[in-house]
Amino acid sequence: MRKAQVEAVAAELSGILNGNFLIDEVAFTPSAKPADVFGRDETEHPPRIVISRVIPNAFVLGGHKLAIAQNLLAPMYVHASLKYERALASEVGSSSKSEDRVCFESVKSIDPLVLLPIMNGDHNSAWNARKGRMIQCVMKLNRPELLRLIEVELRFSKTVLSRFPKSQVSWAHRRWVINFFLTSLEGAVSHKQLSDFFFEEKLVVERANNVRRLNYAAWSHRRHCSRSPDLQSAGLLSHSLVAREISWAATRAAKNVSDYCGLHYIQSLIRRMPGLTREAEMLFVVDLIEKFPGFEALWIYRRQLFAAALEKQKMLFQEATNTFSRDYGRFLRNSCRMKQNHDVVAYETGCITLRSELSSTVRWVPRRIAKSSRSESRHSKQAHFAAAYRLWIISLATRSLAEYLKITASGIAKAARTASADLVTHSFCTPGLIGDVFIKHMEE
């Protein structure tokens, strides 16, 4: 393939990508013939198919779908990279480089800032140059034109993500464009525009997750959007919306039990909504563990839920300690009531206790290790994960208790040691285990 042909095809693609903003999907195919891409039956082909005038089988565009022949990628990428480097060198050598940062518009035949991300979604320099181009346009465009520019940029990044759904740089650029939209039009963004943006980002993330499983980059983008303070101030992240997000993520997690990214997204939503209970999530993950034994992602998520419940128990214990320091008699009365009905604490922490977790996982731990346990069967993995989980929660509960004892021991009198041990024992719902740790520490 001659250099002139490559340059001509690259110019054609640049014109198509810059002129057709409705392209929503790009694919690299062994052959870009319309019959190979859309099928041999021409009646099923989309209308107004566009092919290269220089090399007929170089690319094909139809129905907002662009297919590029794989044998064209390497020479075209090299050619676009050279164009980019030359334009960058001319910008560095220019005395007015701050004003000419839009720069690559001077290259009439090829726009490397379009071709390079299309062929390499992680081309950080090209994405940064596109940011510079947008910044230069802020002072030159009115509000409708600026909205149009942002819309075009988001569509282009969506097109790139159709081919590179795990590209961290592409997702980061999309977040930058959204922040650019919110800051450049500060105070002029309507409630409907924010709602439309959030809904569009949901669709983009869902498509990326459908294309590639275990897509941490896409889930991180969705988590970033759900944390947006602009959405919170506009009232878009209501309790019902978060509940629907959790339900959607839980449904997807049930179909992809090895994908921890969705479970992590659920956990981030629960942390941000104090009114949501973790009990339902613990029941959900326990049910998945029962149905799909041997998946480590589910056990990791179970650890996160237990750690969150333990953190709340620590807060309750801190409140009880503060009450004791102010009124010892009231503290003793409260501790007696808690001793009679220690399930109150278990209820307040979502019924996730050390005792319940140890009892629910004991059946997965074999009493003795058989020779067959070394196999890679799911049940042997389940036994391994269950044993590791039991050791982990015991260690975490013990460390958490010791941490709080260092803070409260100096203020607890010797006469109150027994009552304090009962309080901690019942708050953690593990008589004999945590209580012994407490008494041993106080005696020291």
Side-chain angles (χ1 to χ4, degrees):
M1 191 177 298
R2 292 178 297 179
K3 180 180 178 181
Q5 289 180 312
V6 174
E7 185 173 358
V9 173
E12 284 184 315
L13 278 175
S14 294
I16 289 175
L17 291 168
N18 279 325
N20 190 340
F21 303 126
L22 298 180
I23 298 175
D24 58 6
E25 187 174 353
V26 175
F28 303 150
T29 58
S31 172
K33 293 180 181 180
D36 295 334
V37 177
F38 301 110
R40 297 186 179 277
D41 188 357
E42 295 185 0
T43 60
E44 298 181 356
H45 290 188
R48 295 185 293 277
I49 290 179
V50 179
I51 61 175
S52 174
R53 295 189 300 268
V54 181
I55 305 176
N57 300 327
F59 64 84
V60 59
L61 172 64
H64 310 309
K65 314 297 180 184
L66 176 63
I68 304 175
Q70 293 177 350
N71 62 343
L72 184 66
L73 294 176
M76 190 167 59
Y77 186 83
V78 172
H79 189 75
S81 299
L82 291 175
K83 287 285 186 181
Y84 174 82
E85 293 173 1
R86 290 170 186 169
L88 187 62
S90 64
E91 179 193 357
V92 173
S94 174
S95 59
S96 58
K97 59 183 179 180
S98 61
E99 299 179 358
D100 297 335
R101 183 55 189 252
V102 189
C103 64
F104 306 111
E105 291 179 353
S106 61
V107 183
K108 299 297 182 181
S109 58
I110 296 177
D111 188 353
L113 300 190
V114 170
L115 295 178
L116 291 176
I118 284 292
M119 294 183 287
N120 178 12
D122 287 320
H123 201 296
N124 204 9
S125 299
W127 285 120
N128 287 338
R130 292 185 69 92
K131 294 182 180 69
R133 175 185 290 180
M134 291 187 65
I135 293 173
Q136 286 292 326
C137 293
V138 172
M139 304 303 296
K140 302 178 183 179
L141 303 177
N142 55 33
R143 186 173 181 274
E145 292 173 339
L146 186 58
L147 286 173
R148 178 61 176 169
L149 174 66
I150 294 172
E151 180 184 0
V152 169
E153 192 67 18
L154 288 175
R155 283 183 178 274
F156 178 75
S157 65
K158 180 180 178 180
T159 303
V160 174
L161 288 169
S162 68
R163 180 60 186 85
F164 305 100
K166 287 189 174 183
S167 172
Q168 295 275 6
V169 181
S170 299
W171 286 111
H173 179 76
R174 191 172 182 87
R175 287 192 290 273
W176 182 91
V177 174
I178 295 174
N179 293 332
F180 177 80
F181 162 74
L182 296 174
T183 55
S184 60
L185 298 175
E186 186 176 2
V189 182
S190 65
H191 184 279
K192 184 179 184 304
Q193 287 175 324
L194 283 174
S195 179
D196 292 343
F197 264 97
F198 184 67
F199 182 74
E200 175 64 20
E201 296 311 299
K202 288 175 58 179
L203 295 180
V204 174
V205 171
E206 288 180 22
R207 187 178 75 165
N209 283 328
N210 290 332
V211 175
R212 292 289 181 87
R213 294 175 59 255
L214 308 177
N215 195 338
Y216 177 78
W219 281 108
S220 297
H221 181 77
R222 186 157 186 156
R223 187 167 61 254
H224 173 85
C225 294
S226 67
R227 290 201 304 256
S228 173
D230 298 276
L231 295 176
Q232 295 178 8
S233 60
L236 293 176
L237 294 181
S238 60
H239 191 282
S240 59
L241 177 61
V242 174
R244 288 197 299 270
E245 281 287 289
I246 293 176
S247 177
W248 174 84
T251 302
R252 189 170 187 87
K255 298 178 181 178
N256 302 274
V257 292
S258 61
D259 188 356
Y260 180 70
C261 304
L263 298 173
H264 185 66
Y265 176 63
I266 296 175
Q267 184 69 12
S268 67
L269 291 174
I270 294 177
R271 289 176 179 174
R272 290 177 47 254
M273 301 296 289
L276 296 177
T277 176
R278 291 178 173 85
E279 180 183 1
E281 286 306 307
M282 180 60 81
L283 294 175
F284 166 72
V285 73
V286 169
D287 181 64
L288 290 181
I289 289 175
E290 295 285 341
K291 293 179 179 178
F292 306 99
F295 285 92
E296 188 176 12
L298 299 177
W299 287 98
I300 294 176
Y301 184 54
R302 191 169 183 173
R303 291 188 184 191
Q304 295 293 326
L305 292 175
F306 178 82
L310 184 62
E311 186 66 26
K312 188 170 183 178
Q313 287 182 336
K314 288 166 60 179
M315 293 174 59
L316 293 174
F317 176 65
Q318 182 66 46
E319 292 176 1
T321 304
N322 294 337
T323 302
F324 163 75
S325 61
R326 292 191 301 267
D327 189 348
Y328 174 67
R330 180 182 173 187
F331 172 79
L332 288 179
R333 291 192 298 272
N334 291 340
S335 64
C336 291
R337 293 194 192 100
M338 189 173 292
K339 182 176 181 180
Q340 295 172 0
N341 188 15
H342 63 264
D343 291 336
V344 173
V345 177
Y347 173 78
E348 291 180 351
T349 55
C351 296
I352 303 174
T353 63
L354 185 61
R355 173 191 287 178
S356 65
E357 289 300 285
L358 289 175
S359 61
S360 64
T361 57
V362 66
R363 68 185 187 86
W364 291 109
V365 181
R367 295 184 177 180
R368 61 180 182 178
I369 301 177
K371 293 182 179 180
S372 58
S373 63
R374 295 184 179 181
S375 64
E376 293 296 324
S377 66
R378 289 185 177 181
H379 288 282
S380 64
K381 288 183 178 180
Q382 186 84 323
H384 170 76
F385 295 145
Y389 175 76
R390 290 166 61 85
L391 292 175
W392 184 84
I393 61 177
I394 292 174
S395 176
L396 180 64
T398 306
R399 290 199 309 268
S400 299
L401 178 62
E403 177 183 334
Y404 266 83
L405 289 176
K406 291 180 181 179
I407 300 175
T408 59
S410 59
I412 298 179
K414 182 177 181 179
R417 289 175 183 172
T418 303
S420 301
D422 289 339
L423 170 63
V424 178
T425 299
H426 291 297
S427 66
F428 283 98
C429 300
T430 53
L433 176 63
I434 302 299
D436 292 344
V437 176
F438 184 91
I439 296 173
K440 181 179 179 180
H441 181 85
M442 297 301 298
E443 291 177 351
E444 293 176 353

